[in-house]
Amino acid sequence: MSREKRKQAELLLPAGSLEVLKTAFDYGADAVYIGGEAFGLRANAKNFSPEEMAEGLCLAHERGKRVYVTANILAHNDDLNEAERYFQELAELRPDAIIVSDPALFMLAKRLCPGIELHVSTQANNTNYGTFLFWRELGASRVVTARELSLAEIREIRERIPAEMEIETFVHGAMCISYSGRCLLSSFMAGRDANHGECTHPCRWQYSVTEEKRPGESMPVFENERGTFLFNSKDLCMIDHIPELIESGIDSFKIEGRMKTALYAAVTARAYRRAIDDYLESPEKYAANLESYREEIGKCTYREYTTGFFFGKPNEEAQIYDSNTYVRNYTYLGKIAAVDAEGFARFEQKNKFSVGDRVERMCFDGSNELLTVLEIRNHEGLSVESAPHPKEALAVRFSAVPVVGELLRTETAK
């Protein structure tokens, strides 16, 4: 594959709000995928109103970026009339692409949204080149691979589909215990349909076992004193394998997490942006900086990491049996909204911090700088020793002046 083709690889980030959308672009994303108020698979995410979607599209296009809208539920009869109205609305908004999985919704979008790219979601179980060609014949410009594919399978798909057809693949984020997200556990156990975006994540719950001849007799399975988590997968992370991803011919590297924070978007976008750009500049530069990418991605909220199916089927090492909680090494403090004439940084505070604390500034160039909190002024303009209340508008003087748009974080106490 030519070097020119490899340079077209896109870094695609999730965005559950305008704040996260802006953050993803600030830290290096080429595109974001968002949900509207209907038909996406993250019903509990904040999602975008039509007005917010229009604003997000405007912000993106001013910067030469792209926005894709998810409409990837598996539809029932009652969904179709509303879907028709929704796609008419999207036709007016003109996102760069619509992501669908249901054939009926695909055909509705094709008819009602001419000129807008159609991407086929991983939810459609796209596991072979014949499926890619099927969607190509119907008018799809891009297909998202099923998470169950290996790199060898993806390379074969690339070889057997037209060069202009795009492959999008998840490279980072939460993994699902079910086949490409088609899970029935949530519907069965909580009455909330995962395929309509209402998953309660029962794969993260504790379970016991029942022996066939002892009905009703529940026996706990102990991994430790907290029980065991039989279906709880580690998170995917491919930061160590950027060369293999690029050489496989994947067009878009996708990060999972539309319900995650702006800090998650900043950390993942910046780490993968640096890794991709460094490799394209020089494989030796990528190798030399690999430990710094690992260190940075470890500052993200995550469950332990795995490479998923990329190098063969996962074994028991891909599961976490003793906990369902995230690793949180850093706490999000806020995003710089403005810097006044006195050098005070203004932002809405997300978590508690105090005068004298050491805070990390996430610079856009990929570096970090430790700042000391010298003074905090609350929303009334009064100097205070600490800021314990989330969402308070603060003015803070640091030992160095941060840049508008940068994020601040602090190391979580061990």
Side-chain angles (χ1 to χ4, degrees):
M1 182 174 300
S2 72
R3 199 162 189 79
E4 183 63 30
K5 175 63 178 174
R6 293 203 305 264
K7 287 184 179 179
Q8 296 175 15
E10 170 188 83
L11 180 58
L12 176 59
L13 266 286
S17 67
L18 278 170
E19 178 196 16
V20 177
L21 177 146
K22 294 173 188 174
T23 300
F25 289 146
D26 284 343
Y27 283 95
D30 299 304
V32 297
Y33 60 102
I34 68 175
E37 293 178 325
F39 302 110
L41 279 178
R42 289 294 181 270
N44 293 325
K46 293 179 183 177
N47 293 323
F48 284 65
S49 68
E51 295 74 23
E52 289 170 330
M53 199 178 290
E55 184 178 349
L57 283 161
C58 184
L59 287 166
H61 294 163
E62 285 174 355
R63 302 177 63 169
K65 310 285 189 175
R66 288 161 64 84
V67 176
Y68 311 141
V69 176
T70 59
N72 56 340
I73 68 163
L74 300 180
H76 290 253
N77 291 335
D78 292 345
D79 295 316
L80 296 182
N81 286 336
E82 186 181 348
E84 188 158 344
R85 291 191 291 270
Y86 182 58
F87 287 135
Q88 288 169 345
E89 190 174 86
L90 290 182
E92 296 293 322
L93 290 166
R94 308 299 299 174
D96 296 287
I98 301 171
I99 306 171
V100 295
S101 60
D102 188 290
L105 296 190
F106 184 98
M107 298 310 288
L108 273 176
K110 181 178 178 180
R111 174 168 61 86
L112 296 169
C113 302
I116 298 177
E117 288 183 19
L118 295 179
H119 297 176
V120 180
S121 169
T122 191
Q123 190 77 1
N125 303 119
N126 308 302
T127 57
N128 61 75
Y129 60 84
T131 297
F132 275 65
L133 294 171
F134 167 82
W135 287 113
R136 175 71 175 173
E137 286 293 315
L138 289 178
S141 60
R142 177 184 295 188
V143 174
V144 187
T145 57
R147 298 180 198 226
E148 295 75 26
L149 293 187
S150 67
L151 272 173
E153 290 174 300
I154 293 171
R155 283 193 292 268
E156 183 175 2
I157 290 171
R158 176 74 281 164
E159 292 167 0
R160 290 176 175 267
I161 63 174
E164 65 273 15
M165 188 177 191
E166 295 180 344
I167 298 174
E168 179 178 304
T169 299
F170 280 99
V171 301
H172 191 96
M175 296 286 282
C176 183
I177 192 67
S178 187
Y179 203 93
S180 285
R182 292 197 174 205
C183 186
L184 299 176
L185 278 176
S186 185
S187 287
F188 179 74
M189 301 179 75
R192 289 170 55 179
D193 187 351
N195 296 315
H196 265 69
E198 299 174 339
C199 186
T200 54
H201 303 288
C203 54
R204 311 297 179 190
W205 301 351
Q206 293 185 46
Y207 290 89
S208 59
V209 297
T210 302
E211 199 274 328
E212 181 182 7
K213 296 180 180 179
R214 295 177 175 86
E217 184 178 339
S218 177
M219 293 172 282
V221 182
F222 286 107
E223 177 73 20
N224 64 8
E225 67 276 5
R226 292 187 296 276
T228 193
F229 298 84
L230 296 175
F231 309 123
N232 188 37
S233 174
K234 293 180 180 179
D235 283 357
L236 177 66
C237 178
M238 290 293 286
I239 200 75
D240 280 22
H241 301 284
I242 296 301
E244 296 98 313
L245 293 172
I246 289 176
E247 300 298 337
S248 70
I250 295 167
D251 297 279
S252 181
F253 295 175
K254 188 171 192 173
I255 309 292
E256 181 275 338
R258 271 196 291 129
M259 296 176 70
K260 300 287 182 68
T261 66
L263 179 60
Y264 174 89
V267 171
T268 53
R270 193 173 65 156
Y272 278 89
R273 177 82 280 148
R274 283 186 59 220
I276 293 166
D277 291 350
D278 285 354
Y279 178 74
L280 291 173
E281 181 182 334
S282 161
E284 293 74 23
K285 183 176 182 180
Y286 168 81
N289 290 331
L290 186 53
E291 191 55 44
S292 69
Y293 315 141
R294 292 171 180 158
E295 180 182 349
E296 182 62 24
I297 212 72
K299 295 180 180 180
C300 186
T301 298
Y302 67 99
R303 303 178 188 91
E304 296 172 45
Y305 286 135
T306 176
T307 56
F309 290 80
F310 280 109
F311 301 103
K313 293 183 179 180
N315 58 21
E316 67 278 3
E317 295 300 318
Q319 299 294 113
I320 310 171
Y321 299 105
D322 62 349
S323 174
N324 69 344
T325 58
Y326 283 105
V327 177
R328 290 183 173 88
N329 293 322
Y330 278 74
T331 300
Y332 181 29
L333 296 185
K335 180 178 180 178
I336 306 302
V339 176
D340 65 23
E342 298 179 79
F344 279 82
R346 298 184 176 274
F347 59 93
E348 182 183 86
Q349 169 242 11
K350 303 295 184 182
N351 287 285
K352 180 182 178 179
F353 65 98
S354 303
V355 171
D357 284 356
R358 297 277 277 170
V359 169
E360 194 166 83
R361 165 194 174 196
M362 295 181 64
C363 305
F364 295 136
D365 66 2
S367 64
N368 300 309
E369 182 181 7
L370 279 175
L371 309 177
T372 302
V373 180
L374 302 178
E375 184 181 354
I376 303 173
R377 293 179 183 174
N378 66 16
H379 66 283
E380 296 175 339
L382 302 175
S383 288
V384 294
E385 285 300 307
S386 67
H389 307 298
K391 297 195 173 182
E392 185 174 11
L394 301 176
V396 181
R397 185 163 60 88
F398 295 101
S399 53
V401 180
V403 172
V404 172
E406 288 181 337
L407 268 66
L408 303 173
R409 62 188 177 188
T410 185
E411 192 167 4
T412 305
K414 303 299 183 189

